[in-house]
mmCIF file of all heavy atoms in Angstrom:
data_model
loop_
_atom_site.group_PDB
_atom_site.id
_atom_site.type_symbol
_atom_site.label_atom_id
_atom_site.label_comp_id
_atom_site.label_asym_id
_atom_site.label_seq_id
_atom_site.Cartn_x
_atom_site.Cartn_y
_atom_site.Cartn_z
ATOM 1 N N GLY W 44 -14.569 -27.873 25.961
ATOM 2 C CA GLY W 44 -14.322 -26.557 25.402
ATOM 3 C C GLY W 44 -15.491 -25.599 25.443
ATOM 4 O O GLY W 44 -15.328 -24.427 25.115
ATOM 5 N N GLY W 72 -13.176 -18.134 44.368
ATOM 6 C CA GLY W 72 -12.676 -16.765 44.264
ATOM 7 C C GLY W 72 -11.734 -16.565 43.092
ATOM 8 O O GLY W 72 -10.829 -15.741 43.139
ATOM 9 N N ASP W 87 -5.612 -19.319 33.340
ATOM 10 C CA ASP W 87 -4.498 -20.084 33.896
ATOM 11 C C ASP W 87 -4.953 -20.845 35.144
ATOM 12 O O ASP W 87 -4.516 -21.972 35.391
ATOM 13 C CB ASP W 87 -3.338 -19.151 34.242
ATOM 14 C CG ASP W 87 -2.673 -18.622 32.980
ATOM 15 O OD1 ASP W 87 -2.935 -19.180 31.908
ATOM 16 O OD2 ASP W 87 -1.902 -17.658 33.084
ATOM 17 N N ALA W 91 -4.565 -24.752 35.748
ATOM 18 C CA ALA W 91 -3.797 -25.275 36.878
ATOM 19 C C ALA W 91 -4.614 -26.294 37.657
ATOM 20 O O ALA W 91 -4.069 -27.237 38.236
ATOM 21 C CB ALA W 91 -3.367 -24.126 37.792
ATOM 22 N N HIS W 95 -6.001 -31.789 38.919
ATOM 23 C CA HIS W 95 -6.709 -32.240 40.120
ATOM 24 C C HIS W 95 -8.081 -32.794 39.742
ATOM 25 O O HIS W 95 -8.495 -33.838 40.236
ATOM 26 C CB HIS W 95 -6.868 -31.083 41.099
ATOM 27 C CG HIS W 95 -5.573 -30.527 41.579
ATOM 28 N ND1 HIS W 95 -5.104 -30.706 42.860
ATOM 29 C CD2 HIS W 95 -4.618 -29.809 40.958
ATOM 30 C CE1 HIS W 95 -3.942 -30.118 42.998
ATOM 31 N NE2 HIS W 95 -3.615 -29.569 41.855
ATOM 32 N N MET W 99 -9.563 -36.579 40.292
ATOM 33 C CA MET W 99 -10.829 -36.972 40.910
ATOM 34 C C MET W 99 -11.614 -37.878 39.982
ATOM 35 O O MET W 99 -12.216 -38.862 40.412
ATOM 36 C CB MET W 99 -11.643 -35.732 41.272
ATOM 37 C CG MET W 99 -11.025 -34.908 42.374
ATOM 38 S SD MET W 99 -12.195 -33.760 43.126
ATOM 39 C CE MET W 99 -13.274 -34.875 44.015
ATOM 40 N N LEU W 161 -0.379 -45.829 38.232
ATOM 41 C CA LEU W 161 -1.294 -46.702 38.964
ATOM 42 C C LEU W 161 -1.826 -46.019 40.200
ATOM 43 O O LEU W 161 -2.953 -46.240 40.606
ATOM 44 C CB LEU W 161 -0.570 -47.992 39.380
ATOM 45 C CG LEU W 161 -0.532 -49.141 38.393
ATOM 46 C CD1 LEU W 161 -0.222 -50.409 39.113
ATOM 47 C CD2 LEU W 161 -1.843 -49.261 37.661
ATOM 48 N N ALA W 183 4.804 -58.270 40.934
ATOM 49 C CA ALA W 183 5.381 -59.583 40.705
ATOM 50 C C ALA W 183 6.319 -59.480 39.516
ATOM 51 O O ALA W 183 5.929 -59.005 38.453
ATOM 52 C CB ALA W 183 4.282 -60.610 40.429
ATOM 53 N N GLN W 231 24.176 -45.585 26.572
ATOM 54 C CA GLN W 231 25.488 -45.670 27.195
ATOM 55 C C GLN W 231 26.160 -46.995 26.871
ATOM 56 O O GLN W 231 27.375 -47.072 26.708
ATOM 57 C CB GLN W 231 25.357 -45.508 28.711
ATOM 58 C CG GLN W 231 24.947 -44.098 29.112
ATOM 59 C CD GLN W 231 24.888 -43.932 30.601
ATOM 60 O OE1 GLN W 231 24.789 -44.892 31.345
ATOM 61 N NE2 GLN W 231 24.959 -42.683 31.051
ATOM 62 N N ARG W 256 9.965 -55.388 9.278
ATOM 63 C CA ARG W 256 9.380 -56.409 8.412
ATOM 64 C C ARG W 256 9.411 -55.987 6.957
ATOM 65 O O ARG W 256 9.510 -56.809 6.055
ATOM 66 C CB ARG W 256 7.928 -56.658 8.820
ATOM 67 C CG ARG W 256 7.796 -57.514 10.043
ATOM 68 C CD ARG W 256 6.316 -57.795 10.290
ATOM 69 N NE ARG W 256 6.136 -58.678 11.422
ATOM 70 C CZ ARG W 256 5.078 -58.632 12.222
ATOM 71 N NH1 ARG W 256 4.140 -57.729 12.014
ATOM 72 N NH2 ARG W 256 4.967 -59.462 13.233
ATOM 73 N N PHE W 279 24.059 -59.983 16.016
ATOM 74 C CA PHE W 279 24.866 -59.783 17.210
ATOM 75 C C PHE W 279 24.154 -60.300 18.455
ATOM 76 O O PHE W 279 24.026 -59.584 19.454
ATOM 77 C CB PHE W 279 25.227 -58.309 17.399
ATOM 78 C CG PHE W 279 25.884 -57.708 16.203
ATOM 79 C CD1 PHE W 279 25.220 -56.785 15.413
ATOM 80 C CD2 PHE W 279 27.178 -58.077 15.853
ATOM 81 C CE1 PHE W 279 25.828 -56.226 14.298
ATOM 82 C CE2 PHE W 279 27.794 -57.530 14.731
ATOM 83 C CZ PHE W 279 27.132 -56.596 13.949
ATOM 84 N N VAL W 311 0.693 -62.828 35.449
ATOM 85 C CA VAL W 311 1.956 -63.274 36.025
ATOM 86 C C VAL W 311 2.311 -64.654 35.501
ATOM 87 O O VAL W 311 3.418 -64.910 35.032
ATOM 88 C CB VAL W 311 1.871 -63.275 37.557
ATOM 89 C CG1 VAL W 311 3.091 -63.958 38.138
ATOM 90 C CG2 VAL W 311 1.759 -61.850 38.077
#
Side-chain angles (χ1 to χ4, degrees):
Chain W
D87 289 346
H95 298 251
M99 292 197 70
L161 274 199
Q231 291 183 340
R256 282 185 177 149
F279 306 109
V311 170

